[in-house]
């Protein structure tokens, strides 16, 4: 009896060994860096004393304030455009037969691999100062793109929108299956116009998905670094770019200020992502079981991979 | 249902426009990579393989390709070696700790690469462990970056084969926990884990921010190399971008095939 208990206890302790390498890796490469960044952001760059000064500088210097503002603006614009385009395309794609729909989604998902550096490069080929369209339109005498400059804010927003659209489409289209045909029929039988149906039934049902996706897109754009960096190096005054150049020592050596900026950036993306988590919970609560059930069982796994892939591309954006 | 199968011309036009918009940059890059002389015309006047030839004779590119391949492989292998035992132990012996694990694992989703790089540089340049700019630091960073995919993949596979029950059954038949894990559970979860392995690999292969900030000055991967060559030769850079894209495409096709066969098996 005793030996059995002992053996059980031994086994009860031994399984902990399986967790040791994981704990070591996470501690060394995730928790320690986060701690170092957090504590560093409260230390002065001059004499490493505890201070609020880094946050004060970050939020008061016109230069960094502008970078934060630029990042927030381009993220807001690109996610809003991404949501609108994504919504229209997601609605439209659910009108197709499943095989066609899956093929369209697959193609759109495929292009989401084309993010970051290669994407910036492709846009330079298309719309850069010697781009194909730029030269062609000049040759043909069209002047639609005359005032357009890829290296301006409009240009950068255009490139950001490109990587937001597939993500938005992929995250939004399943929620359209939550709106059942019978509801539309019932509404129209009761005399509601199509506009009235969408305004008072369709959009409220989609709202959690829309806000949740908006959170993901916003975080995606806030954290995007590669695209802007590849387009014009460190010349854009964006938060992510600023952090990159401070820390890699291109301009000044102020690691603690860089940490404070990084903490601010992480706060915005964490907020945006938790908006998504909150909205997902909400939509799960008030959609009925039947409505939130996915369209086809076999497709769930594929979609899971697709969403994961799309979200994976965030980092490279 | 019939309405759904016969989408009107409006929907078809919209989707065609969407695909045109999404595929255009890709197509332009591809055309540029094979173009000999391309100015003022819709399509190039002549085609050539010259850029690919010079690319695969470029030792710096081959070195970058090799760096990418071995760094990604080592990171994914390390992640498998660390994550499989950890997730297994949690699922079977300590399901109560799972929510803690989930919290840790989901963090890399929400924290951008730039931020992660700031923390890593702070921790490992100077100080007792000075591994700044080395492959060790990058492998550690990569390990954290793929945590969400690895965790999800391994956990799903373990639950699909109902690992706790398998362990109990093996225990009843007299197998010790280690033997039961190695001979019963592990062979059964391999197909499921393969998907998340490939996914992680393709994520890391496309990684730029961490690589450029942590080791960019010493080690070049394909992405970093591309960003350095972009300004020099457009044709060469397109050839790099297209080669990269072709590689990722093949990888994701294998991934999708695996996902489909797995889905069918689970359903059947």
């Amino acid at each position: 009896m005793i030996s059995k208990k002992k053996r059980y206890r031994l086994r009860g302790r031994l399984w902990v060994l399986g967790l040791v390498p994981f704990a070591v890796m996470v501690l060394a490469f995730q928790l320690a860096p986060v701690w170092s960044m957090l504590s560093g952001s409260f230390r002065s760059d001059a004499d490493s004393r505890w201070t609020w000064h880094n946050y004060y500088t970050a939020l008061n210097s016109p230069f960094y304030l502008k970078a934060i503002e630029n990042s927030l603006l381009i993220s807001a614009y690109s996610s809003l455009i991404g949501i609108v385009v994504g919504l229209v395309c997601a609605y439209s794609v659910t009108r197709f037969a499943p095989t066609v729909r899956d093929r369209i989604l697959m193609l759109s998902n495929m292009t989401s691999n084309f993010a970051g550096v290669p994407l910036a490069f492709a846009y330079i080929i298309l719309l850069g100062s010697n781009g194909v369209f730029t030269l062609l339109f000049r040759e043909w005498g069209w002047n639609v793109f005359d005032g357009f400059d890829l290296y301006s804010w409009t240009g950068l927003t255009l490139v950001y929108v490109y990587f937001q659209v597939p993500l938005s489409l992929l995250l939004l289209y399943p929620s359209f299956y939550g709106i059942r045909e019978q509801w539309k029929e019932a509404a129209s039988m009761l005399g509601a116009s199509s506009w009235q149906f969408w305004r008072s039934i369709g959009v409220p049902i989609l709202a959690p998905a829309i806000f949740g996706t908006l959170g993901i897109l916003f975080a995606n754009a806030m954290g995007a670094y590669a695209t802007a960096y590849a387009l014009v190096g460190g010349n854009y005054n964006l938060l992510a770019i600023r952090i990159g150049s401070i820390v890699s020592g291109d301009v000044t050596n102020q690691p603690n200020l860089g940490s404070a900026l990084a903490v601010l950036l992480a706060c915005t993306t964490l907020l945006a992502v938790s908006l998504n988590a909150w909205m997902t919970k909400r939509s799960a609560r008030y959609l009925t079981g039947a409505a939130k059930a996915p369209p086809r069982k076999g497709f769930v796994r594929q979609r899971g991979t697709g969403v994961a892939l799309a979200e994976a591309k965030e980092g490279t954006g | 249902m019939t309405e759904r199968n016969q989408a009107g011309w409006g929907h078809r036009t919209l989707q065609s426009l969407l695909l045109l918009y999404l595929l255009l940059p890709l197509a332009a890059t591809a055309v540029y990579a094979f173009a000999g002389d391309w100015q003022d015309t819709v399509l190039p006047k002549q085609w050539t393989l010259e850029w690919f030839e010079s690319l695969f004779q470029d030792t710096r590119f081959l070195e970058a390709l090799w760096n990418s391949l071995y760094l990604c492989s080592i990171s994914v292998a390390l992640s498998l070696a660390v994550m499989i035992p950890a997730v297994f132990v949690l699922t079977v012996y300590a399901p109560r700790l799972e929510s803690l694990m989930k919290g840790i694992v989901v963090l890399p989703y929400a924290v951008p690469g730039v931020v992660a790089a700031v923390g890593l540089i702070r921790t490992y340049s100077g100080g007792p462990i000075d591994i700044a700019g080395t492959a060790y630091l990058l492998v550690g960073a990569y390990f954290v970056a793929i945590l969400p995919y690895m965790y999800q993949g391994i956990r799903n596979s373990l639950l699909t084969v109902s690992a706790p029950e398998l362990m109990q059954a093996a225990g009843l038949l007299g197998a010790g926990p280690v033997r039961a894990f190695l001979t019963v559970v592990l062979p059964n979860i391999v197909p499921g884990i393969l998907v998340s392995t490939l996914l992680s690999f393709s994520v890391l292969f496309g990684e730029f921010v961490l690589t450029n900030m942590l080791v960019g000055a010493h080690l070049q991967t394909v992405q970093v190399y591309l960003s350095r060559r972009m300004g020099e030769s457009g044709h060469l850079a397109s050839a790099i971008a297209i080669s990269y894209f072709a590689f990722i495409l093949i990888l994701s096709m294998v991934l999708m095939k695996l996902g489909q066969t797995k889905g069918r098996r689970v359903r059947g």
Side-chain angles (χ1 to χ4, degrees):
Chain A
M1 208 43 205
I2 288 167
S3 74
K4 206 176 175 186
K5 221 176 190 175
K6 230 180 201 171
R7 211 187 319 154
Y8 180 79
R9 232 189 265 151
L10 185 70
R11 214 183 62 183
R13 272 181 214 144
L14 271 183
W15 61 254
V16 175
L17 284 180
L19 289 177
V20 171
F22 172 76
V24 170
M25 286 301 283
V26 165
L27 207 66
F29 294 106
Q30 187 172 23
L31 302 182
V34 167
W35 170 248
S36 160
M37 186 176 73
L38 274 175
S39 62
S41 71
F42 290 106
R43 280 180 186 278
S44 158
D45 273 312
D47 51 15
S48 63
R49 264 196 317 210
W50 295 99
T51 174
W52 283 96
H53 185 72
N54 297 316
Y55 288 98
Y56 183 82
T57 312
L59 294 172
N60 278 291
S61 116
F63 185 55
Y64 294 119
L65 206 58
K66 191 73 194 161
I68 295 172
E69 187 194 321
N70 285 338
S71 274
L72 289 174
L73 279 179
I74 198 170
S75 305
Y77 280 130
S78 69
S79 349
L80 283 176
I81 300 173
I83 283 281
V84 171
V85 177
L87 264 179
V88 174
C89 293
Y91 171 70
S92 161
V93 89
T94 57
R95 305 282 95 192
F96 285 82
T99 43
V100 183
R101 176 201 63 196
D102 291 358
R103 212 164 294 155
I104 294 173
L105 290 172
M106 195 198 77
L107 276 173
S108 129
N109 188 30
M110 183 186 90
T111 58
S112 71
N113 283 315
F114 212 60
V117 184
L119 177 65
F121 179 67
Y123 265 86
I124 293 174
I125 293 178
L126 281 176
L127 294 168
S129 37
N130 284 312
V132 180
F133 283 142
T134 318
L135 290 181
L136 267 183
F137 288 165
R138 201 176 294 153
E139 183 83 353
W140 294 343
W142 294 6
N143 49 10
V144 266
F145 278 117
D146 261 6
F148 179 81
D149 177 12
L150 181 63
Y151 308 103
S152 69
W153 289 104
T154 328
L156 191 64
T157 312
L158 192 77
V159 185
Y160 271 42
V161 166
Y162 179 88
F163 66 69
Q164 300 277 42
V165 166
L167 186 61
S168 160
L169 172 61
L170 206 65
L171 292 174
L172 282 174
Y173 90 88
S175 54
F176 275 97
Y177 287 101
I179 298 171
R180 283 186 278 179
E181 287 298 314
Q182 292 97 302
W183 299 349
K184 262 188 232 173
E185 283 158 21
S188 81
M189 225 140 23
L190 293 169
S193 67
S194 165
W195 164 248
Q196 276 174 317
F197 170 78
W198 282 110
R199 202 193 54 193
S200 48
I201 300 169
V203 172
I205 284 185
L206 291 176
I210 294 176
F211 284 113
T213 308
L214 198 62
I216 294 281
L217 296 187
F218 189 82
N220 190 15
M222 280 304 285
Y225 171 87
T227 312
Y229 178 86
L231 214 49
V232 285
N235 290 350
Y236 281 121
N237 194 10
L238 281 173
L239 187 52
I241 299 281
R242 276 300 135 249
I243 295 169
S245 55
I246 287 181
V247 171
S248 51
D250 289 354
V251 194
T252 45
N253 192 23
Q254 292 173 295
N256 293 332
L257 177 62
S259 301
L261 289 171
V263 171
L264 289 176
L265 176 58
C267 284
T268 60
T269 58
L270 281 171
L271 261 178
V273 170
S274 45
L275 172 74
N276 174 60
W278 184 47
M279 283 298 159
T280 313
K281 243 183 235 160
R282 216 184 136 85
S283 77
R285 199 174 56 201
Y286 90 80
L287 277 185
T288 56
K292 80 171 176 194
R296 221 166 17 100
K297 211 182 168 217
F299 194 64
V300 180
R301 189 176 300 277
Q302 245 171 296
R303 197 177 66 76
T305 319
V307 172
L309 248 179
E311 282 177 359
K313 297 305 152 200
E314 280 178 43
T316 63
Chain B
M1 266 337 258
T2 45
E3 187 201 11
R4 203 172 272 180
N5 288 334
Q6 293 164 352
W9 63 269
H11 289 299
R12 260 181 261 165
T13 318
L14 183 67
Q15 296 299 334
S16 314
L17 280 177
L18 173 71
L19 290 182
L20 182 72
Y21 167 68
L22 290 176
L23 291 175
L24 202 59
L26 194 59
T29 314
V31 170
Y32 211 70
F34 291 104
D37 176 29
W38 194 15
Q39 268 167 1
D40 309 342
T41 46
V42 180
L43 284 174
K45 282 176 193 144
Q46 69 227 29
W47 302 88
T48 173
L49 281 173
E50 193 190 325
W51 315 116
F52 282 92
E53 267 169 41
S54 62
L55 181 62
F56 283 97
Q57 283 163 1
D58 179 355
T59 47
R60 281 194 300 162
F61 171 71
L62 294 177
E63 203 179 303
L65 185 64
W66 167 244
N67 284 340
S68 277
L69 289 175
Y70 93 78
L71 285 169
C72 296
S73 310
I74 290 178
S75 308
V76 172
L78 177 75
S79 179
L80 283 171
V82 171
M83 291 298 284
I84 293 177
V87 181
F88 168 77
V89 158
L90 277 192
T91 321
V92 175
Y93 297 104
R96 256 183 287 167
L97 290 178
E98 270 193 330
S99 57
L100 178 70
M101 178 99 152
K102 248 179 221 161
I104 292 173
V105 145
V106 90
L107 208 61
Y109 258 151
V111 175
V114 200
V115 177
V118 170
L120 286 163
I121 291 174
R122 287 190 63 97
T123 316
Y124 293 106
S125 54
I129 315 171
D130 193 355
I131 51 170
T134 64
Y136 298 106
L137 182 57
L138 191 65
V139 168
Y142 277 2
F143 174 87
V144 171
I146 58 174
L147 273 179
Y149 317 106
M150 283 308 219
Y151 172 74
Q152 205 61 40
I154 296 171
R155 186 168 174 274
N156 285 351
S157 321
L158 283 171
L159 292 182
T160 311
V161 302
S162 28
E165 286 81 358
L166 276 183
M167 286 299 287
Q168 264 175 1
L172 280 178
L173 294 170
V178 175
R179 188 159 163 237
F181 170 69
L182 289 178
T183 56
V184 180
V185 176
L186 200 56
N188 275 303
I189 58 172
V190 166
I193 289 178
L194 204 59
V195 175
S196 53
T197 306
L198 285 179
L199 177 65
S200 307
F201 192 89
S202 75
V203 168
L204 291 185
F205 202 78
E207 215 291 322
F208 175 76
V209 188
L210 288 170
T211 322
N212 192 45
M213 282 180 67
L214 294 178
V215 299
H218 312 276
L219 270 173
Q220 293 198 341
T221 60
V222 173
Q223 289 271 338
V224 176
Y225 185 67
L226 173 62
S227 79
R228 301 278 153 88
R229 294 304 294 269
M230 253 171 58
E232 294 169 32
S233 161
H235 291 289
L236 203 68
S238 331
I240 302 176
I242 287 303
S243 311
Y244 159 77
F245 190 73
F247 179 75
I248 290 292
L249 201 62
I250 293 168
L251 214 60
S252 30
M253 279 184 174
V254 173
L255 228 149
M256 204 141 53
K257 270 269 144 24
L258 282 173
Q260 273 168 0
T261 44
K262 221 179 75 181
R264 219 172 289 142
R265 225 184 42 189
V266 170
R267 252 182 299 160

